[in-house]
Structures are given as structure tokens and as C-alpha cells.
């Protein structure tokens, strides 16, 4: 059915946009880390963990572990 195909294409597009958004947020978090703003980086990384892909969530955790280590 044509409507099913269109709905699936739209969902795929939304999913890709979400993944792109989370990739951008990871880049932003890295920039905050480089500037030494770990509070803002942590906030963004926690969001990526909740809403990003599995790989993005893993990367966010690695960055969180890194800033936690630097803060100790």
C-alpha cells in the first residue's frame, strides 16, 4: 500500500534526522569538554545517552567517563 510506504519513508527520515541531531550534540559536548565546561557537556551527553543510537550512547558514556576522571 502506498500510504504504508510513505509512512515508512517518513519514519526512516525522522530516525536519520534524530541520529544526525545526536551526532551534532556529541560534537557540541566535545567542544564543551575542550573548553573545560564539563557541566554543560555532561548535560548534553546524558541526553545523547537517552535519545541517541546504541553507538552514540556508548560514545557519550566514554566521554562522560573521561570528564568524570578529569574532575576527580
Amino acid at each position: 500500500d502506498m500510504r504504508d510506504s510513505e509512512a515508512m519513508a517518513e519514519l526512516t527520515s525522522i530516525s536519520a534526522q534524530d541520529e544526525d541531531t545526536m551526532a551534532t550534540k556529541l560534537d557540541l559536548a566535545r567542544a564543551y569538554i575542550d573548553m573545560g565546561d564539563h557541566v554543560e557537556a555532561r548535560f548534553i551527553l546524558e541526553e545523547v545517552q537517552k535519545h541517541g543510537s546504541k553507538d552514540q550512547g556508548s560514545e557519550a558514556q566514554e566521554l562522560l567517563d573521561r570528564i568524570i576522571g578529569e574532575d576527580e
Side-chain angles (χ1 to χ4, degrees):
D1 179 66
M2 185 66 150
R3 281 179 274 153
D4 289 341
S5 296
E6 289 172 3
M8 188 58 112
E10 186 173 334
L11 286 173
T12 301
S13 174
I14 291 169
S15 178
Q17 289 172 359
D18 289 346
E19 195 164 324
D20 288 347
T21 298
M22 292 300 120
T24 300
K25 287 183 183 271
L26 279 169
D27 290 339
L28 182 59
R30 283 189 207 91
Y32 278 119
I33 291 168
D34 290 344
M35 292 186 297
D37 188 345
H38 293 178
V39 172
E40 193 63 34
R42 187 177 305 210
F43 176 78
I44 293 168
L45 292 169
E46 288 171 354
E47 182 181 357
V48 172
Q49 283 184 307
K50 290 178 188 170
H51 303 289
S53 69
K54 183 178 178 182
D55 288 341
Q56 290 168 330
S58 295
E59 188 171 349
Q61 184 60 54
E62 288 175 16
L63 291 169
L64 280 167
D65 291 344
R66 183 174 123 199
I67 62 176
I68 290 168
E70 290 177 9
D71 288 344
E72 291 179 351

